[in-house]
Amino acid sequence: MSKIIIGPFNRVEGDLEVQLEIEAQKVTSARVNSTLFRGFESMLQGRPLGDALVYAPRICGICSVSQSVAAAQALSQIYGISPPENGQRAINLMLANENAADLLTHFYLFFMPDFARGIYKDRTWFSDSQKRFKAMQGVSSARAIEARSHWLKMMGTLAGHWPHTLAIQPGGCSRSLNDAEVMQMLLYAQKLRHFLENSLLHDKLENFLALENEADLQSWQQQHADSDLGLFIAIATDLSLHELGKSDALLMSYGSFPESNGQRLIPSGVYRNGEFHLLNPSHIQEDISHANYQGDIHSSPWHQAQMPLLDNPDAYSWCKAPRLKGEVAETGSLARQVMAKQPLILDLIQRYGSCVYSRILARTLELVKLTVQVESWLQQGFSETGHFFTEPGDIVHQRGVGLIEAARGSLGHWLEVKNNRIYSYQIIAPTTWNFSPRDQQNTPGALEKALENTPLYDGETDPVNVQHIVRSFDPCMVCTVH
């Protein structure tokens, strides 16, 4: 048996190190190390409540709107208010804008460039992949950056700037939007549609969303083999990506995008062994048996602190290990689309489980769905007589929880107030779930489990299959350790 350490990773947000034990050209065990301590939760203790909207979004420059929405949702419970319909739609548009930008960036700039690496030079698709996706040179990647820049102009209209807007408040959105601005944003959305239809799919978005199963997808790929997604499916078939990076964790979604009818566009819930279950947030606990923190080994986010402990002999990460009633959970687009019972993704999860192939296709499908949904919201517009903002009054509750879906998965903020000040603030980020270390039962986290049995090529010191698996989760390490 041999051991190797991979890290730091490029094209991953933040600092990550993976320790692998290898035998007979396969990974037998993995430990995922988040190497950075930041301390945002400690910084917020004792501060005025409004500071949560200033500090929390600065955890990340990529997921800042998601952090704002979770913080505002927790504060709205403290004040006993909720955003009016116009304000909630504006917030939904901002979150959808950020999530779609992340999904687009992940596919073209983070995930696909690995298929332009020299180790694949003998594959029939290599030259095409290099031409499209090679870092800093790929023609498709360049077009994706241009499309992303147009798409994010919508955020400028909605939020004033990105990242770290203060437009998202507990009572809704701080600015109203007029019809001319809505028309302008619709044009931005149509620019993204043009890119997706002419580069990613070579097909109408609605045609792709109508696919119901793997057979439909393979038939679609043969008709659209020249598209960027068509090339990915051909690569995935050649490399058997449906067998790579399997995680047996349950899938979890907090739900997201509340609408005026009281429903959420993305439902909350848990998917375990082919069955759907309701999510009970009180079952969420954090385990620090293998993390560099002091406190109770296993407790609710309400009772966790963020005090470093440097002499824990079992610790190997600054990431805590969240568990749902003691079980490992995987979050992200795959979990969301399974909970939404999207036919194609349900078929993939039943055939292959959670793996590199199903995670990437779920992300791509969600990018297409969000684009269509944003167009629909903009076409519906805003109520002319409705408000965008409700002024907060007095504090009516001492505790508030913000549970939302960021692009990378389930994001939660737990806020407790005493004497009109923040008493405690706990955050569990999407990658904290996916890249957690082992717990007190020595159960590996979702990525650690997904890396087991990964085959390696001869002589590799930076195994490409490990890179595929790690990036299939779209990790954000700065959010993870916050």
Side-chain angles (χ1 to χ4, degrees), residues 351-367:
R351 285 174 182 271
Y352 309 125
S354 175
C355 59
V356 171
Y357 181 58
S358 54
R359 288 185 202 110
I360 298 305
L361 281 170
R363 282 196 160 81
T364 309
L365 183 137
E366 189 168 80
L367 167 61

Side-chain angles (χ1 to χ4, degrees), residues 7 9 14 31 45-46 81 167 231 237 269 274 349 372 385 391 421 426 438 446 456 473 477:
F9 277 69
R31 293 199 168 201
Q45 290 177 0
I81 59 175
L231 177 58
T237 302
I349 198 74
V372 173
T385 57
E391 186 73 33
R421 294 270 174 165
Q426 285 297 310
R438 289 155 197 271
L456 310 183
F473 285 90
M477 305 312 298

Side-chain angles (χ1 to χ4, degrees), residues 266-284:
I266 301 292
S268 69
V270 174
Y271 181 82
R272 180 195 293 111
N273 300 327
E275 295 181 351
F276 292 89
H277 303 273
L278 295 176
L279 170 67
N280 185 345
S282 69
H283 289 164
I284 295 171

Side-chain angles (χ1 to χ4, degrees), residues 4 24 36 38 49 52 71 93 132 198 206 208 225 237 296 348 411 421 429 459:
I4 62 172
L36 184 68
R38 303 184 73 201
L49 272 60
L93 281 166
R132 298 189 196 206
N198 288 280
E206 290 75 10
F208 180 68
T237 302
D296 294 337
L348 294 181
L411 169 66
R421 294 270 174 165

Side-chain angles (χ1 to χ4, degrees), residues 37-108:
F37 173 76
R38 303 184 73 201
F40 271 78
E41 293 161 335
S42 300
M43 290 180 213
L44 280 162
Q45 290 177 0
R47 304 200 68 85
L49 272 60
D51 280 10
L53 298 171
V54 177
Y55 281 63
R58 282 165 172 77
I59 289 169
C60 183
I62 304 297
C63 316
S64 76
V65 162
S66 303
Q67 300 289 353
S68 294
V69 174
Q73 191 179 103
L75 285 167
S76 71
Q77 294 177 16
I78 298 289
Y79 291 116
I81 59 175
S82 57
E85 183 177 349
N86 279 353
Q88 187 59 60
R89 175 156 294 172
I91 291 172
N92 286 349
L93 281 166
M94 284 185 258
L95 185 59
N97 184 270
E98 181 177 86
N99 285 6
D102 179 284
L103 296 168
L104 178 70
T105 306
H106 173 260
F107 183 80
Y108 281 99

Side-chain angles (χ1 to χ4, degrees), residues 152-192:
L152 281 173
K153 289 177 183 175
M154 187 186 303
M155 188 71 84
T157 304
L158 290 161
H161 63 88
W162 182 81
H164 309 145
T165 179
L166 286 173
I168 298 167
Q169 295 287 318
C173 180
S174 66
R175 73 180 301 265
S176 59
L177 296 153
N178 59 43
D179 290 346
E181 289 171 323
V182 171
M183 286 301 299
Q184 184 63 59
M185 289 191 289
L186 199 49
L187 290 176
Y188 297 144
Q190 288 172 352
K191 285 180 180 291
L192 181 59

